Amino acid sequence: MTMRTALDIERCDLNIKGNHSNHHTELFGEKRLVVRRGQPFSIVLHLSSSSKEFKVGETNFMFDVETGTPLLQPCTHPQASTVDTEWSASAATDASGRTVTVSISSSPKAPIGVYTLTLDQLGQKTSLGQFTLLFNAWCPDDAVYMKSEEKRKEYVLAQHGLVYRGSQKRIKGKPWNFGQFEPGIVDICLKILDNNPKFVSDADKDVSSRSDPIYVTRALSAMINSNDDQGVLVGEWAEFSDGTHPGLWMGSGEILRQWAESGPVRYGQCWVFAAVACTVSRALGIPCRVVTNFGSAHDTNANLVIERFYDENGDRISGDDSIWNFHVWVDSWMTRPDLGSKFDGWQTSDPTPQETSDGVFCCGPASLCAIKEGEVGLKYDTPFIFAEVNFLFFCSKTHLYPRRIESTKSVGCFISTKAVGANERRDITHQYKYPEGSKEEREVYERAQHRNMLLQRGEKPGLHLKIKLAENMIVGSSFEVYAFLTNNCMDTRNCKLIFYARAVSYNGKLGDLCGFSSDNLEMPSGEERRLSLKLEYQRYEPAITSDLLIQVSAITFDKETVDFQKAEKTIVLDEPDIGIKLVGEARVNQPLTVEMTLLNPLPEPLLSCSFAIDGIGLTGSKPITATYVKLSNEAAKASIEFKPTVAGSSVLLVNFDSDKLKNIKNFTDVVVEE
């Protein structure tokens, strides 16, 4: 028998604390209910003293759950659905019959987003509140399910990380605050999806598609940049006077809040795009990691060959293809039902705007398995990412010399991400490609139907050229580098050797010349000659960017035999360390002072110095900056007082900036007591 009298609901308790504990969402705080799909959550209905009692099996009511537009069928008690595309509910009561605990199970395929929950009793509707539904890496039926608890902690819950930059020989992990659980961030992440042009053109279809992490990840790769829309970041690689230099950012929170308030944020480069994408993905429940590819090829004409053209002096005269010192993107974890289970797991997407995909500046997600196996016909954008890590050769031509193939084994090397549970670098190159020269590698290239033959192995004929760098190359110092030329021919060669240095940005864009040396050499068979190049601070300082990169190039040619060789290396100038000392005990709402010191390695004073600190639960919503810095002859010093607001472990990031040294970073762990 079904009761026809509606229950009188005095109040509804969303049981935020208990639900958050069960759903691994405690870090969102207790102001709102955030749960993960495919997993039950409970609410408590408190009936008024005048209400009829609730009786299991006799009282009938319905719950309506809606997001965006009414897309979902209502769930009904007491009937519980077993179909995984539907929602279900069950209820129990205490002895008095006036406290009803309702367990609601969302579908593991439900769209993510903000939901309204309404109780429907015989047409009488009572609003019970709102909740936010996220992807669920803990649910075996969710497309983002991840088995390992340690990996879930790292790729979903970790708010701090390291983003790797530099060059293959000098890999440096830079700290970053992802801050996906900071107040308001998850709402901003959902707002990003609502600003997606696909939502604007067809809201119902877009909201329904948010059940699919493939769709969401591809939308994010377009929306993190602002090339086609009102996305989060504006990319810039040259002039930053009307915005923030990409190297100054220490975390995603400030960027996302600024975007929510005033639109596209100026400026970002690849590591900023990727770090923000990682924050948004983790906030929405998609396991995500930031990945750096050292020696990242950018093929503009999709012929899978890097083409460069040089004149007889070694200057590049044309060709848009390039090899970046490093490039940063993200991998997200999910199944690929559109490709088959073989291609489940990590999927690469790249929010940095480089080339268009389906008419939009986005890239991915492309299966790592497809990239490694050379399955370049599979979506999305697998050929482009395959090319970034797999170029084996490039063509260099001059107007004097015929076409020549040169090895670029430096492409797609030391592919790096932060290790699970440790502040260490993990090399994941093997996940992207087979070992150089292996049988599997050859099979991959046959499958990918390369237009050019595989790199010829064995000794090169003619002249051999290599560059040797100095041991200690600290910014501010002067040092020498060397080009070594060896003649492995049977006869004497008369060669011209040119050795020069130019400033370079991390994306491969060359700057001004900062060193030059040349010599005409007579090279007897089997002999070696050395040419030195001194790099003086007074000459390279005006040329280098805040990336602190110098590219040294050596070129030799013999006009009689048409033998041409070129060698290049990138110098990453070492930065000074920031000394960090905490003064006082770290306790909630108690002042704590951090003392910071940076020794000046330059042969000139530093001007316009500032230190900035940032830490989740330590410094509030924005970094704290000390613009007055005490200077001595050799050091810049500052102290900043802050009050931690949250107990537990956190990370304090420190940034130093000045007229000559920019974006120097360090960090320290902080354990805050109650």
Side-chain angles (χ1 to χ4, degrees), residues 90-101:
S90 61
T93 184
D94 64 358
S96 70
R98 300 192 183 281
T99 301
V100 184
T101 301

Side-chain angles (χ1 to χ4, degrees), residues 525-599:
S525 175
E527 293 201 7
E528 180 182 82
R529 296 287 187 270
R530 186 184 79 173
L531 181 62
S532 65
L533 176 63
K534 187 167 185 179
L535 296 177
E536 296 180 333
Y537 171 74
Q538 289 76 10
R539 189 166 183 187
Y540 70 70
E541 184 275 328
I544 60 173
T545 70
S546 61
D547 297 326
L548 301 182
L549 300 176
I550 299 173
Q551 185 182 87
V552 289
S553 304
I555 297 173
T556 184
F557 54 89
D558 182 345
K559 293 183 179 180
E560 293 180 5
T561 61
V562 199
D563 196 354
F564 171 88
Q565 295 289 327
K566 182 180 177 78
E568 287 183 344
K569 282 194 175 182
T570 300
I571 296 170
V572 182
L573 295 173
D574 289 330
E575 302 170 338
D577 289 330
I578 300 175
I580 304 174
K581 181 181 179 182
L582 294 175
V583 180
E585 295 185 0
R587 295 188 178 276
V588 173
N589 295 325
Q590 296 298 314
L592 181 64
T593 299
V594 57
E595 295 180 349
M596 299 156 290
T597 304
L598 181 135
L599 297 178

Side-chain angles (χ1 to χ4, degrees), residues 331-449:
D331 286 344
S332 303
W333 183 270
M334 65 194 70
T335 59
R336 290 302 298 264
D338 57 331
L339 305 180
S341 59
K342 174 183 177 182
F343 300 100
D344 293 348
W346 289 117
Q347 315 290 321
T348 295
S349 62
D350 188 352
T352 300
Q354 297 182 87
E355 305 292 334
T356 59
S357 173
D358 296 331
V360 178
F361 278 96
C362 67
C363 183
S367 164
L368 250 66
C369 177
I371 296 168
K372 184 173 183 177
E373 298 298 334
E375 298 284 358
V376 295
L378 299 181
K379 57 186 180 184
Y380 293 92
D381 307 306
T382 306
F384 184 80
I385 301 170
F386 177 90
E388 287 186 297
V389 300
N390 276 298
F391 275 116
L392 287 185
F393 47 81
F394 65 85
C395 300
S396 63
K397 309 175 185 178
T398 75
H399 64 280
L400 294 175
Y401 307 117
R403 184 172 185 263
R404 184 176 186 85
I405 303 297
E406 298 187 22
S407 167
T408 59
K409 292 182 181 180
S410 59
V411 170
C413 296
F414 303 103
I415 302 176
S416 303
T417 192
K418 179 184 174 297
V420 173
N423 288 322
E424 299 172 357
R425 186 184 75 89
R426 184 188 175 200
D427 193 303
I428 56 172
T429 308
H430 64 283
Q431 296 183 13
Y432 278 85
K433 56 197 293 189
Y434 286 102
E436 183 78 25
S438 66
K439 176 184 176 182
E440 292 85 357
E441 182 208 36
R442 291 193 295 272
E443 292 173 349
V444 163
Y445 279 89
E446 290 174 3
R447 191 178 302 119
Q449 296 181 346

Side-chain angles (χ1 to χ4, degrees), residues 77 93 117 172 313 358 457:
H77 173 79
T93 184
L117 179 62
K172 298 182 178 181
N313 293 320
D358 296 331
R457 290 173 171 80

Side-chain angles (χ1 to χ4, degrees), residues 228-303:
D228 309 290
D229 41 52
Q230 289 295 302
V232 177
L233 279 160
V234 179
E236 179 57 51
W237 283 262
E239 175 57 48
F240 311 104
S241 59
D242 59 341
T244 299
H245 189 290
L248 285 174
W249 300 114
M250 292 192 283
S252 303
E254 185 179 2
I255 295 170
L256 291 170
R257 283 186 287 269
Q258 187 173 324
W259 173 80
E261 293 173 1
S262 55
V265 178
R266 300 173 184 269
Y267 288 104
Q269 292 179 9
C270 68
W271 69 90
V272 185
F273 286 108
V276 172
C278 183
T279 292
V280 178
S281 298
R282 291 183 183 182
L284 299 179
I286 301 174
C288 190
R289 65 186 184 185
V290 178
V291 175
T292 303
N293 177 38
F294 288 94
S296 191
H298 184 178
D299 179 24
T300 57
N301 58 7
N303 67 351

